[in-house]
Amino acid sequence: MSSTFHVGQREYFPGIGAIPFEGRESDNPLAFKVYDAQRQIGGRSMAEHLRFAVAYWHSFCGTGQDPFGPGTRMYPWDQGSSALARAEAKADAAFEFITKLGVPYYCFHDVDLAPDADDIGQYRDNLAHMVTVAGRLQQQTGVKLLWGTANLFSHPRYMNGAATNPDFAVVARAAVQVRAALDATVALGGQNYVFWGGREGYACLLNTDMKREQAHLARFLAAARDYGRSIGFTGTFLIEPKPMEPMHHQYDFDSATVVGFLRAHGLDGDFKLNIEANHATLSGHSFAHDLQVAADAGLLGSIDANRGNPQNGWDTDQFPTDLYDTVGAMLVVLRSGGFGHGGLNFDAKVRRESTDPQDLFMAHIGGMDAFARGLEVAHALIERSPLEGWRAERYASFDSGAGAAFARGELGLEALCEHALVAGEPTVRSGRQEAYENLLNQYLLR
Ligand code: XLS
Ligand code: NI
Ligand code: NI
């Protein structure tokens, strides 16, 4: 292992150096077994395919608190005398961690990076200061910003929503944060800007005018888009669907809902989707399903990688380790041509009981290896297995003749009936689900 290093005056993860790739035979918990950043797969390196990002909030702000008790982790960067000193130390720790892990990107909310303040001037000053600090650290380490966002859900003023709040004063106050977070994202070269509709939804339909609230959301997003473009933001705006939690019902329920919303309001030219695995499962879909819906609409932007717990019905934000999930996700990503400007952000947290600094490394190593294996297997399935051929063959009756004419919109109902009269009873054709599932396992085991 290479020698240890730090980006500021202090080393926050002593005894841990750059995480090496050691291959599958290694039992070193602090080494990659599959993720080999420079390894080429189909003309691109693993790093270029996967575009990993570390989430600032879970990894450096979340101390493990839950509704039943306070945090379990004492962070050495949380001990300075002033809020700004603590924010600076946290930034040093974050960039040290990200650099040691060898991840190219990070993501933040405005108030992860900088201390929040009710006073608008103070809030803006804090963020501007931390943008200078983060900019210097980005330069020093080469780490880049995948996306920025504003936290419009934690402060009590947002308890009834931000852009969808029934009180215009709150909607306007939310604009202060979105404007500042957009300024920060542009200043730091961020490639995307995310809206996760934290409390954009309702708790009680009796007191809610859904139609009005959603119209306000569309106006707010259009205003943010226009402002972003006016200050030179050329990246992608992303909406992150989630069906519930914290609200009883959230307006950005799932991919299909968000695709419809963006199209209805003419926002689909600037906005795409950021799909989070655990949000997809909360909405009753699989991760791959919500990715596929976004991809089919041409709106797959980025991923928040994590996993839920099959026994729990909430957003547990565990690190992704399930290889079926990562193969399924990477099949969709590869078939749709890759991430483009998007990436794979670990919106995941170590468990409350995981209190060693190494746990954060191992969590990310496991997630990165799981997605690297997902990439390998998905690529092999697409390039070398019969999968694509089987699937194409299943639809071959639409490739020529009457089937192709129907697909082009040239056959009416009467012509279809004529065809059926001549063709007779259709042959029974197996869907062969088991053969497909066995094929996936066969490549996973190789
Ligand atoms: C919460 C969301 C959040 C967004 C960013 O469930 O996943 O972390 O990704 O605001
Ligand atoms: Ni997320
Ligand atoms: Ni989430």
Side-chain angles (χ1 to χ4, degrees), residues 160-414:
N160 290 302
T164 64
N165 198 292
D167 181 352
F168 175 64
V170 180
V171 177
R173 184 61 176 78
V176 170
Q177 280 187 252
V178 170
R179 183 182 171 185
L182 272 165
D183 287 342
T185 300
V186 169
L188 294 170
Q191 303 191 9
N192 306 271
Y193 184 86
V194 166
F195 288 90
W196 167 58
R199 293 183 197 270
E200 314 292 26
Y202 65 83
C204 171
L205 196 50
L206 289 172
N207 70 6
T208 301
D209 185 337
M210 239 198 323
K211 188 172 181 186
R212 216 167 169 183
E213 292 196 1
Q214 286 187 274
H216 296 164
L217 177 59
R219 286 304 316 141
F220 190 90
L221 294 174
R225 185 260 327 266
D226 293 344
Y227 177 75
R229 296 303 182 218
S230 80
I231 59 164
F233 177 64
T234 55
T236 310
F237 292 92
L238 298 169
I239 306 277
E240 184 176 318
K242 187 174 183 181
M244 64 197 77
E245 199 203 0
M247 302 313 269
H248 166 69
H249 177 92
Q250 305 224 168
Y251 294 138
D252 300 330
F253 192 91
D254 61 359
S255 281
T257 309
V258 174
V259 167
F261 176 86
L262 292 177
R263 286 179 176 162
H265 296 282
L267 294 166
D268 49 329
D270 298 276
F271 286 77
K272 289 185 174 177
L273 275 65
N274 182 40
I275 307 298
E276 179 162 320
N278 202 168
H279 297 181
T281 53
L282 269 180
S283 62
H285 305 303
S286 66
F287 180 27
H289 170 92
D290 252 25
L291 289 168
Q292 190 68 63
V293 170
D296 289 347
L299 295 176
L300 176 55
S302 205
I303 284 181
D304 267 10
N306 59 19
R307 77 179 204 274
N309 183 312
Q311 284 81 37
N312 291 159
W314 63 88
D315 197 14
T316 61
D317 286 337
Q318 290 166 245
F319 273 83
T321 53
D322 185 323
L323 296 177
Y324 286 120
D325 265 358
T326 62
V327 172
M330 291 313 296
L331 272 174
V332 181
V333 171
L334 289 180
R335 278 173 177 157
S336 61
F339 280 119
H341 294 295
L344 249 161
N345 169 49
F346 287 107
D347 195 351
K349 56 191 179 216
V350 293
R351 300 300 85 192
R352 186 168 191 263
E353 305 79 16
S354 301
T355 49
D356 292 341
Q358 299 93 291
D359 294 327
L360 189 62
F361 279 91
M362 287 184 246
H364 283 86
I365 290 168
M368 291 164 75
D369 271 346
F371 269 97
R373 184 65 187 140
L375 167 64
E376 283 181 343
V377 175
H379 180 261
L381 279 168
I382 292 170
E383 296 298 324
R384 295 197 288 280
S385 88
L387 178 67
E388 300 298 70
W390 286 357
R391 216 165 59 122
E393 211 279 318
R394 217 175 158 221
Y395 295 90
S397 59
F398 294 95
D399 288 346
S400 58
F406 163 77
R408 287 194 301 269
E410 291 166 11
L411 297 192
L413 209 58
E414 284 170 355

